[in-house]
């Protein structure tokens, strides 16, 4: 069995210090992790010549004993270790291993966790504002020198964020128009106000739902893609390579996405307006016997140009939020692929949250 013998100011490790044999020794050492020694023993010699076998568990126990004695103010020297035992002990003493097997900190109180969360969110908000300022400076620099604008990435992002999103956006807003008209039909039919389904569908889709649903879809599609792309480039050190060759990452990676999404999202919103109203027309004809000409005629009286412009005016703001948050979270990636997935998820959640908050502010302002 594993054991440690005390000889004055010297300790002799004997036996097989392996995971199958050290349970009794660990119990003998107790919570202190080291045997009791004379208070006058300031220099301790640990002799490992009698160790028959040593694995990582035994090496960790030996390392803990050395650390405990050193924390007690005593100088410790290891002698007689075989080369393979010394190498294993050195590996266990590495900082990365020490951090991995460190005793976890006690759980903080709910108030402390709340404070930590507030501090983290405040710091991240400040970093986001700083990122927005850097992007604004890069945009002004590009406007001053139009030759620096990269049109090919802009057109590529317009296609991926705009044209490729037409099918899913059109399907969802068409179904939303059907749902709104169907839900309103049961109430309007009671009062013989069938024709007012055009007011309901038109105002709901053009002012609120079309820009909001389109922004949420784009946040899930394009915002997450921006975060994943830039995050992967950070993990593979491509962002550092861009800086090395003198290409500003913001001009290469952020501005084309921001410009493209600012162009694509208003166009997607117009497309969503048309299909959302079309869905309401189909359901109005099916449930309320309101024909297409009657629906369109009432729609012209129910809507004003300002209702349409309010919805379109929100789209560039939503686009800027989605692009900036997605790119910002991509640049926050550090370490490994797990960080890419985590930051991608955070980018989608934050984008949708900020889009809904800004939509609420728009509603208050325009009312």
């Amino acid at each position: 069995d594993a054991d440690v013998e005390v000889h004055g100011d010297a300790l002799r490790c004997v036996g097989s210090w392996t995971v199958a044999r050290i349970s009794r020794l660990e119990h003998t050492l107790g919570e202190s992790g080291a045997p009791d020694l004379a208070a006058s023993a300031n220099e301790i010699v640990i002799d490992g010549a009698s160790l028959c076998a040593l694995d990582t568990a035994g090496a960790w126990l030996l390392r803990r004993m050395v650390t405990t004695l050193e924390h007690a103010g005593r100088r410790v020297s290891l002698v007689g270790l075989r080369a393979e035992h010394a190498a294993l002990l050195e590996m266990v003493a590495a900082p990365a291993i020490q951090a991995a097997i460190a005793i976890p900190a006690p759980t903080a109180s709910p108030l402390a966790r709340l404070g930590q969360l507030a501090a983290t969110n405040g710091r991240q908000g400040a970093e986001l504002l700083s990122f927005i300022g850097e992007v604004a400076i890069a945009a002004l620099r590009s406007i001053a020198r139009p030759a620096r604008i990269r049109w090919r990435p802009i057109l590529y992002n317009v296609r991926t964020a705009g044209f490729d999103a037409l099918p899913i956006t059109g399907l969802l807003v068409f179904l939303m128009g059907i749902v709104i008209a169907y839900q309103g039909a049961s109430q309007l039919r009671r009062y013989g106000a069938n024709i007012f389904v055009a007011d309901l569908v038109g105002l709901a889709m053009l002012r609120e739902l079309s820009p909001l649903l389109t922004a949420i879809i784009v946040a899930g599609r394009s915002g997450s893609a921006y975060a994943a792309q830039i995050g992967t480039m950070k993990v593979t050190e491509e962002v550092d390579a861009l800086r090395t060759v003198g290409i500003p990452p913001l001009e290469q990676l952020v501005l084309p996405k921001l410009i493209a999404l600012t162009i694509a999202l208003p166009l997607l919103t117009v497309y969503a307006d048309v299909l959302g109203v079309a869905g309401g027309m189909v359901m109005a004809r099916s449930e309320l016997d309101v024909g297409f000409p009657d629906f369109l005629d009432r729609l012209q009286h129910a809507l004003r140009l300002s209702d349409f412009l309010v919805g379109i005016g929100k789209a560039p703001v939503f686009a800027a939020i989605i692009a900036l948050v997605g790119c910002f979270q991509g640049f926050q990636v550090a370490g490994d692929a797990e960080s890419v997935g985590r930051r991608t998820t955070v980018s989608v959640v934050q984008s949708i949250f900020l889009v809904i908050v800004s939509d609420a502010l728009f509603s208050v302002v325009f009312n």
Side-chain angles (χ1 to χ4, degrees):
D1 289 337
D3 198 3
V4 56
E5 299 176 354
V6 180
H7 300 280
D9 58 353
L11 301 175
R12 191 162 68 96
C13 302
V14 297
S16 178
W17 286 43
T18 60
V19 68
R21 301 292 184 88
I22 63 172
S23 58
R24 187 180 65 83
L25 175 60
E26 190 172 12
H27 180 71
T28 301
L29 295 177
E31 296 182 358
S32 64
D36 294 331
L37 297 171
S40 59
N42 293 325
E43 296 186 4
I44 308 298
V45 177
I46 299 179
D47 185 6
S50 300
L51 282 175
C52 300
L54 183 71
D55 63 3
T56 53
W60 165 241
L61 187 62
L62 180 57
R63 178 62 190 173
R64 190 182 70 173
M65 183 170 64
V66 172
T67 303
T68 301
L69 293 173
E70 288 177 344
H71 285 171
R74 298 172 179 180
R75 291 191 296 270
V76 180
S77 58
L78 286 166
V79 297
L81 286 174
R82 300 178 189 176
E84 60 271 21
H85 294 170
L88 183 59
L89 189 64
E90 184 179 355
M91 184 195 73
V92 171
I97 302 297
Q98 293 294 318
I101 60 181
I103 298 175
T107 304
S109 64
L111 186 60
R113 291 199 299 270
L114 179 62
Q116 292 172 357
L117 180 63
T120 301
N121 290 337
R123 183 168 57 252
Q124 191 173 45
E127 293 174 356
L128 178 59
L129 290 176
S130 175
F131 178 77
I132 293 173
E134 293 175 4
V135 173
I137 293 173
L140 293 175
R141 191 182 301 119
S142 298
I143 293 173
R145 298 177 60 184
R148 299 173 66 96
I149 301 177
R150 293 169 170 80
W151 295 105
R152 182 171 296 180
I154 291 175
L155 296 177
Y156 171 78
N157 282 284
V158 168
R159 180 180 68 81
T160 56
F163 183 79
D164 291 350
L166 290 177
I168 182 63
T169 303
L171 176 62
L172 288 181
V173 296
F174 182 81
L175 294 177
M176 183 57 66
I178 290 177
V179 169
I180 292 175
Y182 182 78
Q183 294 294 331
S186 60
Q187 302 299 324
L188 295 174
R189 191 186 295 112
R190 296 180 181 181
Y191 304 101
N194 296 9
I195 192 61
F196 290 104
V197 69
D199 301 59
L200 175 63
V201 173
L203 287 173
M205 296 305 301
L206 268 65
R207 286 186 66 98
E208 292 296 334
L209 292 181
S210 290
L212 185 60
L213 287 176
T214 304
I216 291 174
I217 294 170
V218 171
R221 288 186 75 259
S222 303
S224 60
Y226 296 163
Q229 178 192 0
I230 297 176
T232 303
M233 292 180 68
K234 281 210 66 180
V235 171
T236 57
E237 299 182 354
E238 294 179 57
V239 175
D240 296 332
L242 288 175
R243 293 192 178 98
T244 301
V245 299
I247 300 176
L250 294 182
E251 295 184 10
Q252 177 70 22
L253 301 176
V254 179
L255 286 184
K257 295 177 174 57
L258 178 60
I259 296 172
L261 203 58
T262 305
I263 296 172
L265 196 58
L267 298 177
L268 275 176
T269 302
V270 175
Y271 171 75
D273 290 339
V274 174
L275 286 187
V277 171
M281 290 172 59
V282 170
M283 184 53 61
R285 182 173 183 176
S286 173
E287 292 292 321
L288 297 173
D289 296 326
V290 177
F292 293 164
D294 297 332
F295 189 99
L296 293 175
D297 181 67
R298 177 59 195 174
L299 194 64
Q300 294 178 13
H301 292 86
L303 297 180
R304 297 170 298 177
L305 180 62
S306 60
D307 297 323
F308 174 74
L309 295 179
V310 164
I312 299 301
K314 296 177 182 178
V317 179
F318 294 166
I321 291 173
I322 294 168
L324 290 172
V325 171
C327 294
F328 170 74
Q329 292 298 335
F331 280 107
Q332 294 300 304
V333 170
D336 52 12
E338 182 183 358
S339 179
V340 176
R342 185 170 58 252
R343 289 295 177 177
T344 301
T345 303
V346 171
S347 72
V348 175
V349 174
Q350 285 189 351
S351 297
I352 294 176
F353 173 76
L354 292 176
V355 162
I356 294 175
V357 170
S358 61
D359 183 66
L361 294 176
F362 274 123
S363 298
V364 173
V365 171
F366 288 129
N367 280 338

